[in-house]
């Protein structure tokens, strides 16, 4: 994989009779005291099952929400432990751990036993990457594995300082798969290589745009960040979201990469997201008191044409206000085009909450090569920024 040497993996460790401290991403939404979406729990199962098969006792850790360093019963991982037990088909204990009770001793566990510790972010030392909290957490394991790609870009104790206390800190199967798949885009991908980037703000995606413009044959821009580029072309944007302080950077990107950077040809506009009629207009046309909220049919067709011939595809971010069905067609169309290209042999990598939601809502999950579990982490990786949770792991 580019940017980093291959890391030790779970399979490289000798775990028989050992306690494995396993950092996972179980940051699942809760509703009425129960897990509302267990997809992240299911993603953690292979690491837990493999570690048990290797003879380890498994101490699972995760964060949930943003409790800001203080215990919050509404963000307890206890419901997660209950659902994890159902999915695993084996008992899953629940312990306060150093985040819930800093004076608690690590539990005595037999090989094959699993315990989930309380929300790491209940302790302020987690987000501060505090050495003392990392040391207290490290006492719960003889070996360490990070399988939480979604947190790998955070310099937090459980993924950084804690991992560095283990000479053979390793990557779990989920983290390993993410690095391999995303690494394809930064290495020597099969061509043509097409990237699709959406979302609200250019500022959020600018490092990724710059990185991918140096590698991709085509970078397609959608979502609200389209309008900062439109403003850079001195075209009307109405009341669409424009980052005025990023117009100059957008203009330079258009000047330097006009052969590879493509904006939508048309868009769907309305007076407001929740009111008024919807009109399809050329991208440079919009009433002064209207706003663009989705890519239009011509843009969908043009983007699909680029994807039709692609051999490698990276997609991150929605094409419009995906939450509203009136403005979801662009994102859904891209999801289908990516799936169809994958069926023709392309390698597709999709990340970002709305992009993943569009894929799943369309029933296309099984038709994408790789669904990335980490929105912020995948963006940081593609922007070639260091990931503390990966740098802390031992090289193979």
């Amino acid at each position: 994989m580019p940017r980093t040497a291959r890391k030790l993996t779970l399979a490289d460790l000798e775990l028989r009779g050992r306690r494995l401290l396993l950092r996972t991403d179980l940051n699942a939404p809760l509703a009425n005291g129960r897990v509302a979406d267990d997809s992240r729990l299911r993603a953690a199962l292979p690491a837990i099952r493999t570690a048990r098969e290797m003879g380890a006792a498994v101490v699972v850790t995760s964060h949930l929400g943003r409790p800001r360093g203080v215990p919050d019963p509404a963000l307890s991982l206890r419901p997660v432990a209950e659902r994890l037990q159902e999915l695993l088909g084996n008992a899953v204990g629940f312990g306060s751990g150093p985040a819930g009770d800093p004076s608690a001793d690590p539990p005595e566990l037999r090989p094959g036993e699993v315990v989930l510790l309380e929300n790491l972010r209940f302790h302020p030392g987690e987000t501060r990457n505090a050495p003392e909290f990392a040391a207290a957490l490290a006492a719960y394991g003889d070996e360490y594995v990070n399988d939480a790609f979604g947190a790998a870009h955070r310099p937090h104790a459980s993924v950084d300082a804690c991992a560095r206390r283990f000479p053979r800190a390793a990557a779990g199967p989920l983290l390993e798969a993410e690095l391999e798949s995303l690494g394809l885009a930064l290495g020597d991908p099969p061509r043509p290589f097409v990237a699709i980037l959406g979302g609200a703000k250019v500022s959020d995606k600018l490092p990724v745009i710059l990185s991918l413009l140096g590698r991709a044959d085509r970078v397609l821009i959608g979502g609200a960040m389209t309008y900062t580029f439109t403003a850079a072309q001195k075209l009307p944007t109405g009341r669409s979201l424009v980052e005025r302080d990023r117009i100059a950077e957008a203009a330079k990107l258009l000047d330097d990469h006009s052969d590879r950077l493509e904006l939508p040809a048309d868009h769907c506009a309305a007076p407001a997201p929740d009111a008024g009629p919807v009109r399809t207009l050329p991208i440079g046309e919009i009433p002064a008191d209207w706003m663009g909220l989705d890519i239009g049919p011509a843009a969908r067709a043009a983007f699909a044409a680029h994807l039709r011939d692609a051999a490698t595809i990276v997609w991150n971010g929605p094409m419009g206000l995906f939450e509203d069905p009136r403005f979801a067609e662009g994102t859904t169309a891209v999801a289908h085009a990516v799936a169809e290209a994958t069926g023709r042999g392309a390698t597709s990598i999709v990340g970002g909450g709305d992009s993943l939601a569009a894929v799943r809502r369309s029933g296309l999950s099984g038709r994408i090569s790789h669904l990335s579990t980490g929105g912020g982490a995948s963006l940081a990786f593609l922007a070639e920024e260091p990931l503390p949770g990966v740098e802390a792991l031992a090289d193979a």
Side-chain angles (χ1 to χ4, degrees):
M1 65 190 69
R3 305 189 313 121
T4 182
R6 193 182 79 83
K7 298 298 180 178
L8 278 181
T9 67
L10 173 60
D12 295 322
L13 301 180
E14 175 51 60
L15 295 179
R16 187 159 303 280
R18 310 278 281 171
R19 287 177 308 160
L20 175 65
L21 184 65
L22 178 64
R23 177 52 159 103
T24 61
D25 183 3
L26 306 180
N27 186 27
L30 303 178
N32 301 317
R34 295 182 61 83
V35 173
D37 179 354
D38 63 12
S39 55
R40 290 188 176 182
L41 281 66
R42 292 179 183 274
L45 294 178
I48 298 171
R49 286 172 173 153
T50 298
R52 294 181 70 241
E53 291 167 0
M54 294 172 69
V58 188
V59 180
V60 183
T61 68
S62 179
H63 70 282
L64 178 63
R66 298 185 179 185
R68 303 189 184 281
V70 294
D72 180 350
L75 294 175
S76 172
L77 280 169
R78 188 177 291 278
V80 175
E82 294 169 357
R83 180 56 181 153
L84 191 62
Q85 177 170 290
E86 295 172 357
L87 294 173
L88 192 61
N90 294 94
V92 174
F94 184 73
S96 59
D101 181 1
S103 64
D105 293 325
E108 294 291 334
L109 297 174
R110 294 187 298 274
E113 290 188 317
V114 180
V115 63
L116 173 63
L117 301 184
E118 184 56 282
N119 190 343
L120 294 167
R121 291 185 182 174
F122 280 5
H123 194 288
E126 165 64 1
T127 55
R128 294 174 187 169
N129 205 12
E132 62 275 11
F133 180 69
L137 184 60
Y140 282 74
D142 303 311
E143 303 285 355
Y144 172 94
V145 164
N146 184 355
D147 206 32
F149 179 71
H153 62 308
R154 306 286 190 190
H156 291 176
S158 63
V159 300
D160 187 8
C162 180
R164 296 181 188 277
R165 302 184 71 88
F166 294 84
R168 289 176 56 79
L174 180 63
L175 179 58
E176 183 183 8
E178 292 276 11
L179 295 177
E180 292 289 346
S181 296
L182 290 167
L184 175 70
L186 300 186
D188 185 18
R191 296 186 180 278
F193 172 18
V194 178
I196 315 115
L197 297 173
K201 296 182 178 180
V202 171
S203 55
D204 291 342
K205 300 283 172 70
L206 186 61
V208 181
I209 296 171
L210 286 167
S211 175
L212 292 177
L213 278 171
R215 291 178 167 81
D217 299 290
R218 205 78 178 170
V219 177
L220 312 177
I221 300 293
M225 68 176 178
T226 298
Y227 299 100
T228 300
F229 287 97
T230 307
Q233 295 176 304
K234 303 188 185 316
L235 295 173
T237 57
R239 293 177 47 245
S240 308
L241 178 63
V242 174
E243 290 182 277
R244 299 292 170 186
D245 59 339
R246 298 289 181 171
I247 289 176
E249 290 171 283
K252 183 169 179 16
L253 285 175
L254 289 168
D255 288 341
D256 294 346
H257 302 283
S258 59
D259 58 330
R260 277 177 292 162
L261 189 63
E262 181 166 332
L263 301 179
D266 59 351
H267 58 162
C268 298
D274 56 354
V278 178
R279 291 172 58 190
T280 299
L281 301 165
I283 195 67
E285 295 181 15
I286 188 170
D289 56 349
W290 283 41
M291 58 198 312
L293 294 162
D294 193 13
I295 62 173
R300 296 169 211 157
F303 285 12
H306 286 301
L307 295 170
R308 194 171 298 124
D309 298 326
T312 304
I313 299 167
V314 170
W315 175 27
N316 187 295
M319 298 293 99
L321 188 66
F322 176 69
E323 299 84 355
D324 187 328
R326 298 186 303 161
F327 307 113
E329 288 189 35
T331 305
T332 301
V334 167
H336 280 279
V338 172
E340 289 166 8
T342 308
R344 288 189 290 270
T347 298
S348 55
I349 303 158
V350 178
D354 286 331
S355 308
L356 294 179
V359 168
R360 290 175 178 138
R361 190 177 299 177
S362 303
L364 302 172
S365 297
R367 296 173 59 189
I368 304 297
S369 304
H370 181 74
L371 299 174
S372 179
T373 59
S378 62
L379 289 176
F381 187 96
L382 292 172
E384 300 185 88
E385 297 172 2
L387 302 184
V390 175
E391 294 192 335
L393 303 180
D395 293 341

